[in-house]
Amino acid sequence: MNVIKRERGYTFVEMLMVLFVVMCLSAIVVKYSFKAVETRELEQFFTQIQLDIQYIQTYSMHQREYISMKFESSSKRYIIKKNIFTELYERPFPKGVEFMPASSSIYTIIYNYNGNVITPGTVYFKTPQGIKKVVITLGRGRSRVE
């Protein structure tokens, strides 16, 4: 009987305090993890836009055809088309990204059969991290994200 009285466990209040501290730390970690995932998703999206622009330029030179990339604000996507009827592929915008047609100087990027851009300009996007722009330079130039 004396052995049982000497053994003491944790009280319910002590266990609740430890649980509270663990949950607070977990909430902080989860919050920053979501922000990191969102940031990485935006970086991947804009990298993909640049790669797609390089792809359509290369495609136009190789196939000797006109090709276009059209940004749509209503459906939150961009479409790469070989001609009016042939759609090569489309990519949706990530959550929180919106195309800003009022600020943008172009809606459709078109490359001719020599790989020269016909429609240079700037495309603006509203993101959770602020305004981003994709600049398409004249001629055989590349695009850049600012």
Side-chain angles (χ1 to χ4, degrees):
M1 227 28 168
N2 289 337
V3 175
I4 294 176
K5 287 184 180 180
R6 280 187 278 147
E7 291 183 15
R8 296 192 56 190
Y10 295 108
T11 65
F12 182 67
V13 174
E14 290 171 329
M15 290 174 62
L16 282 177
M17 288 175 58
V18 169
L19 183 62
F20 176 74
V21 169
V22 168
M23 289 191 58
C24 286
L25 292 174
S26 297
I28 291 170
V29 168
V30 167
K31 178 182 175 186
Y32 286 111
S33 297
F34 282 138
K35 284 209 178 259
V37 167
E38 180 182 272
T39 302
R40 183 68 184 137
E41 185 178 9
L42 287 175
E43 288 174 7
Q44 285 178 342
F45 173 69
F46 287 108
T47 300
Q48 188 63 52
I49 285 179
Q50 285 183 303
L51 291 173
D52 285 341
I53 291 170
Q54 290 174 0
Y55 168 75
I56 66 173
Q57 183 181 25
T58 305
Y59 185 92
S60 68
M61 288 187 297
H62 185 266
Q63 299 293 327
R64 309 287 293 164
E65 295 179 352
Y66 282 76
I67 189 166
S68 67
M69 175 188 280
K70 182 179 180 183
F71 296 94
E72 296 179 346
S73 59
S74 60
S75 57
K76 295 186 178 185
R77 66 183 179 162
Y78 66 90
I79 303 170
I80 295 180
K81 292 184 176 184
K82 191 163 55 170
N83 54 41
I84 295 173
F85 304 108
T86 308
E87 189 175 298
L88 293 178
Y89 58 91
E90 68 177 64
R91 294 201 195 279
F93 299 158
K95 182 181 177 187
V97 174
E98 295 179 25
F99 172 59
M100 299 171 59
S103 302
S104 300
S105 61
I106 56 173
Y107 307 123
T108 305
I109 303 166
I110 303 171
Y111 280 91
N112 67 12
Y113 59 89
N114 288 329
N116 294 325
V117 68
I118 295 174
T119 55
T122 306
V123 182
Y124 285 90
F125 293 95
K126 182 179 176 184
T127 69
Q129 297 176 346
I131 304 295
K132 295 268 191 183
K133 65 180 179 177
V134 178
V135 180
I136 313 301
T137 56
L138 187 60
R140 287 198 180 183
R142 298 289 187 199
S143 63
R144 66 182 187 275
V145 177
E146 297 175 357

